[in-house]
Amino acid sequence: MGNISLGLNLEFARYENGSFDWAMDRAAEIGYRYVEPMVHWGRELLSEAGYFHSRSMLDDPLKLKHAAESRSLRISSISSHAPLAKPDIAVDYLKQAIRYAAECGSPMIMVDDGPVSGWTTEEENFTLMKYTLQEAVMVAEPRGIAIAIETHGPFTATPQGLDRLMKLVDSPVLTINLDTGNSYLSENDPHAWLDDIISNVTHLHAKDISVEDARRYRGKVRGMLGCACGEGVIDWERIIRTLTSADHDTVLSVECGSLDAATKSFHYLNDVVRRVSQQSPQPIS
């Protein structure tokens, strides 16, 4: 049965104008065991100045590894989103992200399927995504780094689209990051969807959507930062029960829009995991 660990996507720091180090400090103080940092190519002024949480892949990846270890944190994944259907952008970026992940101690990288060019057909986009994923897989496999496809873009907005994308390349390193909030906003039932794909889900974005935002944005957007887990539309007890039924471990990486929501989410999810464990004993980390 699968272990469940709680992690924090550092995206919460964006609306706090927080730096990478600030976000890492807050994650450790709250009690999270895992973090999901964001990386970028080249240099970015706001990050260098300490107003944004992303880290440049031009920096030594061992610095990121030390930043986590010095705070008794582990890295669940690095957020390295690149448009899969734009190989001129995505291929080299993802290859570097995979090599960076291998050195900084991350078991996987996070990617998604959008945006796409305005002039390509759906069939062309799938061909382009296959090319990108195949190139990335050839770098990921020998390093043992997973590539987690997030439910975030135009093709992963439905179970059928995600299934087709996952079948483009036959590789054990190609896995799924289900984003509960994004999948809900795309007018799916994330609970049933997780039930169907649990064998391939190696990472989960624990994102809740407030009732007000669900009413306003469902069917209109495919993604947004969430509210505190437990204050929205997601049934977390059902999600956690499904994760504990898996034959592999999973990190619940909270993705929300503020420090307050990150704190509330940790305490709420920790309580739910403990309650589910007591009802049906499972190892918790």
Side-chain angles (χ1 to χ4, degrees), residues 1-4 241-249 280-283:
M1 308 298 282
N3 294 326
I4 297 177
R241 286 188 180 282
T242 301
L243 293 176
T244 59
S245 72
D247 61 359
H248 56 273
D249 300 341
S280 178
Q282 304 293 336

Side-chain angles (χ1 to χ4, degrees), residues 18 26 58 72 78 105 113 129 133 149 168 172 201 204 212 222 229 232 242 245 265 270:
R26 302 293 84 73
L58 294 180
S72 298
I78 58 173
D113 54 317
M129 289 191 290
L133 286 173
I149 306 293
L168 290 177
V201 173
L204 188 138
E212 180 181 354
R222 300 189 187 98
C229 293
T242 301
S245 72
S265 295
N270 195 50

